[in-house]
Amino acid sequence: MAPQKIAAGNWKMNGDLAALTQLDALTADGCQVLICPPSVLIHAMVQKAEGSAILVGGQDCHDKTSGAHTGDISAEQMRDVGASHVILGHSERRADHGETDADVSAKAITAHQAGLVTVICIGETESQRDSGETLQVIATQLAGSVPDCATADNTVIAYEPVWAIGTGRTPTEDQIAEVHALLRDELGARFTDGANMSLLYGGSVKAANATQIFAIPHVDGALVGGASLKADDFAPIIAALTAA
Ligand code: PGA
């Protein structure tokens, strides 16, 4: 079984009920299409996506199933309103909320127990890349953020260089290929079905570079921020993945 091709959109703290009409112009054909809106829009987006193949996910969840955690949301609650996936360990969560690899792993275990597929994000900062630490940083984040219960069915890995997110800058094809080969090797060594786990690239993916990025070995799709907000921008990325 080849890894599932996935075009995933991360709306971050953008969008409103009116923006759900963007889904009208999207089709999922030949690859999975996942959109992760802010949590307050998950339920409405699930209802909007009904009858289409578009999947809906969250952007983070707590590592506990319920309880006294004001402002937090559990994986079970996301599942209850129809989410199928949850992004975990995005660099903005790591930077804004101090999330560690261990936090991400704990959240992933709870999410898997709730029946969610986790999209676990890892990526180096610019200074780490400049000092030649990229592969070490990636291997450490991967080992610490992905729990032992991960399988190709419940886990997707997204490589997102922090310096490429929202900047319009992307790594070279060789740089992406090098990291994705490492991910494939490490996952294959640790998990029996590691060869089948989907590996997404994220960071300034747009229609103009999608075809090039999807041709890189072990790139099974993309996690897209800014270009997932408008169907006119996201649809060509989905089409490029379908054609890859
Ligand atoms: P970007 O964001 O596509 O806007 O660079 C990617 C992400 O943070 O997932």
Side-chain angles (χ1 to χ4, degrees), residues 99-190:
E99 290 189 9
T100 64
D101 292 340
D103 294 332
V104 176
S105 178
K107 289 175 180 213
I109 291 167
T110 310
H112 291 160
Q113 284 165 350
L116 294 178
V117 177
T118 54
V119 180
I120 298 177
C121 304
I122 54 177
E124 82 285 2
T125 63
E126 185 156 34
S127 67
Q128 287 166 335
R129 176 160 287 279
D130 288 346
S131 54
E133 296 168 48
T134 297
L135 295 184
Q136 184 53 48
V137 166
I138 295 298
T140 301
Q141 287 184 353
L142 187 74
S145 304
V146 180
D148 289 337
C149 58
T151 68
D153 289 330
N154 69 18
T155 303
V156 175
I157 307 296
Y159 167 53
E160 298 204 306
V162 178
W163 52 272
I165 293 175
T167 60
R169 298 165 57 204
T170 51
T172 65
E173 288 171 45
D174 285 349
Q175 286 172 331
I176 296 175
E178 183 182 41
V179 171
H180 278 244
L182 174 85
L183 296 176
R184 185 62 80 214
D185 284 352
E186 297 279 325
L187 293 168
R190 181 170 166 203

Side-chain angles (χ1 to χ4, degrees), residues 8-12 87 90-92 121 158 160-162 164-169 201-206 222-228:
N10 172 12
W11 279 17
K12 309 192 181 187
I87 297 170
H90 190 282
S91 63
E92 288 152 15
C121 304
E160 298 204 306
V162 178
I165 293 175
T167 60
R169 298 165 57 204
Y201 166 77
S204 297
V205 175
K206 52 190 183 210
L223 181 55
V224 184
S228 71

